Each structure stands twice: as C-alpha cells, then as structure tokens.
Amino acid sequence: MTEIEVDHLIIGAGFAGLCAAIKLNESGERDFVVIEKDSDVGGTWHINTYPGAECDVPSQLYSYSFALNPDWSKVYSPQQEIWDYTKRVADSSGVLDRFVLDTAAEESHWDAERQRWIVTTSAVGSGARTTYAARTLIAGSGGLSEPSLPDIEGIETFAGHTFHSARWDHDVDLAGKRVAVIGTGASAIQLVPEVAKVAGRLDVYQRTPNWIIPRNERHFSTLEKTVFRYVPGAQRAVRASVYAALEARVPAFTRFPKAMAAVEAQVKRNIAKGISDPDLRAKVTPDYRAGCKRILVSNKWYPALDRDNVELITDGIARVTSTGIVAQDGTEREIDVLIIATGFHVTDPPIAQHITGRDGHTLADVWSKTGMRAYKGTTIHGFPNLFQLVGPNTALGHSSMIFIIESQVRYVVETVRAMRRDGLGAVEPTLAAQDAWSDAVQRRMRRTVWTTGGCASWYLDQFGHNTTLWPGQTFTFRRQLSRFDPDKYDVTALSTVPSDKGTPTAKEAVSA
Ligand code: N01
C-alpha cells in the first residue's frame, strides 16, 4: 500500500473542510490533501437533496465572509443554490487539485514517534486503500452527517421503499402513493409540504411538536442584487445587520428563557393561521419552552398538515409490519413508502470510532465515558495535532455555523503557524485546560433554555449534558479562538525521525 506524507490531512469537503483548505493554502501551507467520501464538494448541501431542502439561516449570513454571494435568490437559500455556491468557491480558490473525492477515511491513529497521524482511506467502489502520514489531522466531517435510524420493532421487515431524508431516493416516484414520514424536525417540516402535494395519502408520525416561526420567503430584487454586487460595503452592511439581529436573540436562549414567551405567541398565531381544526392545533402546540429544541422556520408546515390527504399521528408507533405502520392505539395504516426523517448521530459521532489517540483509545471510547469534550471545541487531550471542526459545544441554535467554522479554522491556522515558528512537532491541550473550558461551558448551560426548557433534544448526551451547542454570543467564541495559546498545551519539539524517502507530495499523489 502506498504511503503519502502530507503536512495536513483534511477529512470532508463541506463548508468546514473547504474553509480549512482555502485558509491553510492562503497562509502558505500548501501541502495538504482533502479526503471526501462523496463525489463532490458541498457536504450536507450536496447530500441532502430531499424536496423542499432549504437553509433556515438567512442567506446573507450563510456564506463565507471571504466569498460573499451577491446573487442569492431569496432571503433563505434553497439547497441547490448553496451547493452551487460551495462548488464555485472551491473552483475559484485554486485548492481543488488537492481534493480526493469518492474516498472515505477509514482508520486514523497517532504515531508518537513520527509525530504523524497515520490515516487509511478507501476508494468508494474499488475499495483501493491508501495510507497518509500527516502532521495534522483536521476533521471536518460535519456534526449532522450520519443518519440516525429509529429503533422501531419490525422496521427492517417493511417490504416497500424506505429511505432516510438525507439519503433521498429520487428513483421512487411518490405520485399517488401512500407515504409515511417518521419525524417532525427541521428536515421533515421542509419535505412534508412537498411530498403532500404529490402523494395520494401522507401519514406524518410526530413524537414531539416543534415551535415553528413564520419564514420570510421574499426574493431579492434585481436592484438589490445589483447593489450587493456593485456598491462597496452594501452587502457587508446587510450581512452585519442580519448578524446583529440574530445575536440579539442569544440572551433569551442563554439567560432569560422567559423571554421566549414572545416567540411562543408568534408561533401560536402561525398555527391559528395555518390550521383550521382545533384538535390538530392542539396536537401541534408544544408544551415546553420555545428554544429548548431548535426553533424551526416555515410557512408551509401547518397548511400541509391541514390538507385532506395528510394525517398527523401522535399516538406513537408500536411497530412496523411488511405493509405498514401500527400505531400505539392499534390502528394499522398501510403504506407504499416509508421516509425516515429522524435526524443524525450528533453526540455520538461515528467518526470518533475511527480516530485512535496517543494512548491507543479511540475518541469514541474516551467520549463514551466523559461525553464529548474538547478544548475550545476544537483540540482534544490525548489526540495531538487533531483539530475537530464543528466539535463539542460549537453548534448554534440561533445563527450561522459558517461563522463558527471560520473561527475554528483561524485557530487551526494560528496553531500551525506557531508550530512552524517554534519548531513544534506535536501540540495537545492539557487535560486541565480542556476540563476548565468544558466545565465553564457546562456551568453556563445551567440557566439556558436547552437545560431548563422542559424538553428532550438531540443537543443533550447520554448524561443529560448539552455538549452540542455554544452557550453564548458567537463573537465571544471567535475572540477565544483568535490566537494559539501554548500555555494551555503540552508541546513537543519536532522529532528528528527521518521521513520515508521518496514519498510523493500531496499534489503528486492526488494527480497520480
Ligand atoms: O432531525 P431532528 P432533522 N420515533 O433530529 C423524531 C439541521 N437541518 O433531520 O423531537 C419517532 O431535528 C424526532 O422526534 P423528537 C438542523 O440543525 C437544517 O429534522 O425527538 N420519531 C424529531 O421530530 C436540524 O436541527 C436544515 O421527539 C423519532 C425528528 O425525528 C438538524 O439538521 C434543514 C424517533 C428528528 O428531527 C436535524 O434535523 C434540515 C423515533 N424513534 C436539517 N427518533 C436547514 O434548513 C427521532 N424521531 C439549515
């Protein structure tokens, strides 16, 4: 098996991996490879092709700060536009020659003597294996990438078509079919209104209702787009105002959950507008504080549930048979297609099973005992030179993840720069630094709506801790990650172990 030495190996070509590649390249770190298991860049925006897929963060903020897009068509962008945007940015950034697509990262372990991550990859289809020996491992595989499938009795026996919302099967024609959707989260509320338009009958299985605020569906006018393109600073000013408006919501999430009463009143008006049947209104009205689960955005969900061909089932699922779903009240509803919209593995990311650190333990082993913990959500004790993008406590309930990703990538670049300057071969946060940071985050969680709001959510791990979200303003997060802080790290000088002679460079390897 060939071994390729590179300075940096990046896993994932979504917003995070692409940002890391571009910013490393700009900083002069050109010896890297990006491994992507899918056939194109774009990550979640390439993979999630379900009908109705759109972003629920305003377009003006859902782009890189260094690549504004004056051409967004709407206030909230559709999936295809965002995917196209990532492809354009990748094309124009001059880094694509170091992307290896259709290739999955399999196993990674830290070789302390060589001060390198040894990463085995396999090509999708052929299974051809390659080994990389990289100074840093930058994991950008996404917090919401691995579908979580429900553990429902008999689900494997269903004889019709079944697929997850994030693995949409476009070969299945839903026209006139009897369809069931399990789940009523962010994905379901977007796809259900579209499926309802074509399905003969649609059964929607809701476990918990969500708070769903109205969505601004406005298209940007030609004049606005022209101004964004040609008037210096105009689009940045709009972006800044959107950013500020979203940040203004943070205190309600983190310190004053009672302020969410205003959101709840707005949602109740949205329900009254969209649904005529009082029983159905009651079924979709949550009994926990708004914000405890992600607040969703839609004008189409309530009217879709109000349609004659749609039924909302809230009795719970007893089992799935070969022909349909049996609810807890014993009613069996026959279906042709089962769509699973039950979300993703978030607090138990599968990639953690494949990363083995300094002591021979996988990240999954470590986190199964402690919950997800990292220093500043990015570097991890026991895992030198590993950078986890969108790591523990970096996700947001109120604003754009791209802001967080750029903050983390800045930290990666600063750390790599310091390693070069100071001749360091390995940097690893001390356990004390990691614990202090994680404990401080957990202390801040106590007053948040995610802890006090009276709901169960995928933000919480098996210990009941919210190890997913950042409990503060995003500019605070950015400030914390603005420079490498060597006093919080165990650092080791660059070892003199010679590298294998004759190994190809990243560029040679990719083009081979
Ligand atoms: O997943 P979810 P998603 N039996 O976990 C239900 C992002 N996103 O794919 O609430 C029955 O939110 C579960 O019920 P409950 C965004 O960050 C963004 O919809 O746990 N039901 C819930 O209703 C989002 O938050 C966009 O009681 C079961 C649903 O399945 C994240 O992705 C668009 C069940 C899962 O909802 C995930 O959204 C789409 C079971 N066994 C997604 N297990 C944007 O627009 C789970 N459920 C940017």
Side-chain angles (χ1 to χ4, degrees), residues 20 173 202 411 454:
D173 180 8
L202 175 57
Y411 190 66

Side-chain angles (χ1 to χ4, degrees), residues 54-59 74-78 215-218 297:
E54 293 193 332
C55 190
D56 59 11
V57 174
S59 320
K74 295 164 72 180
V75 170
Y76 292 96
S77 309
R215 184 179 177 96
N216 183 351
E217 300 282 5
R218 193 173 75 79
V297 194

Side-chain angles (χ1 to χ4, degrees), residues 45 50 54-56 144 150-152 165 182-188 190 207-208 293-294 341-344 458:
W45 297 103
Y50 59 79
E54 293 193 332
C55 190
D56 59 11
L144 299 166
D151 185 15
I152 298 174
S165 57
I182 302 179
T184 54
S187 302
Q190 294 185 338
R207 193 163 66 177
T208 317
K293 286 170 176 285
R294 188 180 172 94
T342 49
F344 301 88
W458 56 259

Side-chain angles (χ1 to χ4, degrees), residues 66-138:
F66 53 87
L68 298 194
N69 174 21
D71 296 321
W72 293 125
S73 64
K74 295 164 72 180
V75 170
Y76 292 96
S77 309
Q79 170 261 334
Q80 180 74 45
E81 256 184 69
I82 303 174
W83 180 32
D84 288 345
Y85 166 80
T86 59
K87 288 193 284 186
R88 272 201 313 279
V89 173
D91 266 341
S92 60
S93 63
V95 294
L96 272 181
D97 56 351
R98 280 150 286 171
F99 280 49
V100 181
L101 303 175
D102 287 318
T103 298
E106 299 287 354
E107 295 301 329
S108 312
H109 69 266
W110 174 248
D111 181 331
E113 201 191 349
R114 293 177 67 190
Q115 295 178 322
R116 284 182 185 268
W117 280 98
I118 310 301
V119 182
T120 309
T121 66
S122 75
V124 175
S126 74
R129 293 193 160 240
T130 304
T131 299
Y132 291 89
R135 291 226 168 271
T136 73
L137 179 60
I138 301 167

Side-chain angles (χ1 to χ4, degrees), residues 40 70 77 83 130 309 316 347 402 440-441:
D40 210 335
S77 309
W83 180 32
T130 304
N309 66 335
T347 55
I402 298 171
V441 166

Side-chain angles (χ1 to χ4, degrees), residues 206-262:
Q206 171 187 281
R207 193 163 66 177
T208 317
N210 281 297
W211 291 102
I212 302 175
I213 56 176
R215 184 179 177 96
N216 183 351
E217 300 282 5
R218 193 173 75 79
H219 281 72
F220 291 116
S221 67
T222 309
L223 175 63
E224 281 173 300
K225 290 186 211 171
T226 309
V227 169
F228 290 155
R229 182 175 290 279
Y230 294 110
V231 177
Q235 192 173 19
R236 278 206 193 273
V238 172
R239 182 179 164 97
S241 70
V242 172
Y243 174 79
L246 296 184
E247 286 303 307
R249 297 178 182 177
V250 170
F253 285 97
T254 58
R255 294 169 61 205
F256 308 110
K258 284 187 180 155
M260 287 292 177

